Amino acid sequence: MSIRHYSPARALLLATVVAGALAVGGCGSDSSKPAETTASAVATTSGAETSGPRTPATVTVEVNDMKFSPAALTVKAGDTVTWKFSDKAPHAVQGIGDIAMGINSPIIHKGEWSYAFTSPGTYRYLCPLHPEMKGTVTVE
């Protein structure tokens, strides 16, 4: 019996070839079925995240130069509208019609007043001191 001696480079090459063959051929599995993926594994590896509830927004209406700006706006249910008063004359915000009955600010010369819109609908309002000043908030 003769023992062959390989150079270190040749031994490394042989070890690499054997390791590669084992990796490609698999180790100890004679099953031809692919591995099954569980639903929980898919959920954790997919990277998809669910978003939580929407955070309510605050929208500002400027009250200046004898007008509401913007005069018409659309918000989502739960959002708050803040009227910012900075005109030379005092103003107020008063709802028009049954749906807008709760909209009723005090008379304000400088400052802010806010109202949270919780139900969908179209809310019309005006300044009771200057009825030509009108606005609309549409809540989706």
Side-chain angles (χ1 to χ4, degrees):
M1 172 191 258
S2 79
I3 299 176
R4 287 184 122 171
H5 293 280
Y6 294 105
S7 71
R10 193 168 182 181
L12 181 61
L13 177 64
L14 181 62
T16 303
V17 169
V18 170
L22 288 173
V24 171
C27 296
S29 174
D30 56 5
S31 173
S32 60
K33 288 185 187 177
E36 292 183 24
T37 305
T38 63
S40 61
V42 171
T44 44
T45 59
S46 70
E49 295 182 27
T50 58
S51 61
R54 184 182 83 79
T55 303
T58 299
V59 180
T60 300
V61 174
E62 298 289 334
V63 184
N64 198 2
D65 294 330
M66 299 298 286
K67 63 183 176 189
F68 296 111
S69 183
L73 61 113
T74 301
V75 298
K76 301 283 186 192
D79 289 352
T80 297
V81 175
T82 298
W83 285 267
K84 187 174 181 179
F85 300 88
S86 59
D87 207 349
K88 295 175 185 171
H91 298 287
V93 178
Q94 183 177 9
I96 302 171
D98 291 343
I99 192 171
M101 282 182 68
I103 302 172
N104 194 14
S105 79
I107 296 172
I108 301 174
H109 185 72
K110 303 281 185 200
E112 296 180 349
W113 182 77
S114 297
Y115 185 84
F117 289 87
T118 57
S119 299
T122 300
Y123 297 80
R124 297 178 309 127
Y125 65 91
L126 56 72
C127 172
L129 303 174
H130 310 98
E132 68 280 1
M133 292 176 58
K134 295 180 181 177
T136 305
V137 177
T138 303
V139 182
E140 298 178 332

